[in-house]
Amino acid sequence: MKRILFLFLSMLGASLASQAQTAAAPAAGDDQMTKFYLVVGFIFVVSILVLIVLIYLLTVIRALADSAARDRAEKLGIAYKPEPSMWSKFWTSINGFVPEEKEATLVLDHNYDGIKELDNHLPPWWKALFYGAIVWGILYLLAYHVFNSFPLSKSEYDSEVAAANAELQKIKAANPGPKIDEATVTVTTDAADLANGKTTFLNTCASCHRKDGGGDIGPNLTDEYWKHGGDIKNLFHVVTNGVPGTNMVAWGAVMSPEAIRNVASYVLTLQGSKPANGKKPEGDLYKPEVKAAEPAKADSVKTQSSL
Ligand code: HEC
């Protein structure tokens, strides 16, 4: 018993020490927390030690009292009957055991071939749990669903998500992504960005390039012919700076680089859409570099198959 206690205590000590270590590991701001854990741990260990000493003393006192009672009984010449221990009294009372000599009061009045049945009560601890659970259930219902004193899991979750989103917005506002300019711009394939680009196109560009990009005052933006190049960087340049002396103005004055990237990416999605009555191609045929490399590949395939 003592060995088990010792083992338990040393395990407790070790876990407290490791907890103190993990608490001490983070930045100096957690110093206060470490101290708090150490104090709580110390109080915990001391109270357990005190409890053990108390139990030990009680056992000793009990043993002394027992032997004194036995001596007295011997002197008086009466049979010594030891008092039941506190534990066994407690055990009897929480289980509501009916002593064997009173069993007759519990026998039910049926008798099957000599088999009789005792009508034992449910143990008090069980009944306490049962009624306690009912009371708890009523209190819970009132607190959570009638008076709404505490938030339900769903609203707790929602408010946590809202707080996290607010935090995210703050972080995003503090760190705007990489700067977009002519040198760094790339095509965006993000659905939200493209939807945003489409809105811009319909509101700002469609009056000259037509809703479907087929071209009107401005050129057809759906074919492979471009006056100023068909790369995302070319489009970004043209839309930002406009084409002096034409109706294509410098949109960089009124649109953010991100919005220009979005609308230019959207324009590129119109490639090959061949809208009806599109304007005739203007400018030069533009082949993206990736496509330019393809014929060589096709050639090598051809030579292989012709072998
Ligand atoms: C007021 C009419 C007008 C509006 C509005 C307009 N454009 Fe243009 N756009 C033109 C004209 C005209 C040209 C041809 C310029 C030239 O001759 O080089 C052009 C050229 C272009 C080109 C280059 C085409 C090529 O062949 O190289 C792109 C890309 C373009 N516009 C995109 C846009 C976008 C995106 C918007 C909306 C933000 C827009 N335009 C709004 C009139 C307009």
Side-chain angles (χ1 to χ4, degrees):
M1 176 70 185
K2 267 181 207 155
R3 210 174 283 172
I4 292 170
L5 270 177
F6 178 75
L7 210 77
F8 170 73
L9 272 184
S10 43
M11 259 159 52
L12 190 84
S15 83
L16 275 174
S18 71
Q19 210 173 339
Q21 257 175 13
T22 43
D30 289 328
D31 244 24
Q32 218 59 28
M33 242 19 226
T34 315
K35 270 184 209 156
F36 173 76
Y37 282 135
L38 281 177
V39 169
V40 169
F42 181 73
I43 292 173
F44 187 67
V45 170
V46 168
S47 24
I48 286 202
L49 285 177
V50 168
L51 206 71
I52 290 170
V53 171
L54 272 180
I55 290 174
Y56 187 71
L57 281 179
L58 275 176
T59 332
V60 170
I61 290 172
R62 227 193 109 75
L64 287 176
D66 261 6
S67 74
R70 191 172 300 138
D71 285 351
R72 197 161 349 110
E74 254 169 37
K75 263 184 215 151
L76 295 174
I78 42 175
Y80 169 67
K81 209 174 126 226
E83 268 268 296
S85 73
M86 250 158 65
W87 171 250
S88 75
K89 273 192 221 158
F90 170 71
W91 190 245
T92 315
S93 78
I94 63 158
N95 282 298
F97 288 144
V98 175
E100 248 176 78
E101 53 271 22
K102 287 192 191 152
E103 237 171 36
T105 60
L106 296 177
V107 181
L108 292 174
D109 62 354
H110 52 229
N111 182 338
Y112 300 102
D113 295 339
I115 298 172
K116 294 176 190 168
E117 195 184 351
L118 291 179
D119 185 18
N120 268 310
H121 298 293
L122 285 165
W125 65 261
W126 195 96
K127 275 193 259 182
L129 269 184
F130 180 68
Y131 292 119
I134 292 175
V135 171
W136 175 260
I138 292 170
L139 291 180
Y140 188 94
L141 185 87
L142 290 178
Y144 279 92
H145 295 280
V146 179
F147 299 117
N148 297 321
S149 318
F150 304 101
L152 286 171
S153 313
K154 171 85 170 71
S155 63
E156 231 171 33
Y157 170 80
D158 286 345
S159 66
E160 266 174 38
V161 169
N165 277 337
E167 185 79 359
L168 182 70
Q169 288 307 320
K170 244 193 252 164
I171 294 172
K172 270 194 180 163
N175 313 284
K179 210 171 129 263
I180 298 171
D181 61 22
E182 211 179 306
T184 61
V185 68
T186 52
V187 177
T188 173
T189 51
D190 184 83
D193 287 346
L194 288 177
N196 172 268
K198 182 177 185 178
T199 312
T200 310
F201 188 82
L202 295 180
N203 291 340
T204 322
C205 326
S207 50
C208 295
H209 292 283
R210 245 168 65 175
K211 279 194 171 130
D212 54 15
D216 188 2
I217 298 165
N220 187 333
L221 299 176
T222 66
D223 58 26
E224 291 173 299
Y225 292 83
W226 299 90
K227 290 169 111 174
H228 304 281
D231 184 35
I232 181 71
K233 291 189 167 60
N234 304 134
L235 265 75
F236 189 88
H237 179 85
V238 171
V239 179
T240 307
N241 303 300
V243 182
T246 71
N247 283 322
M248 182 65 184
V249 298
W251 296 101
V254 289
M255 279 163 65
S256 72
E258 199 184 357
I260 294 176
R261 190 248 345 239
N262 292 349
V263 74
S265 299
Y266 172 70
V267 166
L268 286 177
T269 66
L270 301 175
Q271 278 292 297
S273 57
K274 295 196 177 72
N277 306 320
K279 235 179 143 186
K280 266 194 276 160
E282 291 170 67
D284 303 321
L285 180 68
Y286 178 84
K287 285 273 181 196
E289 275 156 39
V290 197
K291 274 189 185 165
E294 258 170 26
K297 213 173 159 194
D299 266 0
S300 68
V301 171
K302 218 185 201 170
T303 36
Q304 249 184 8
S305 61
S306 61
L307 273 174

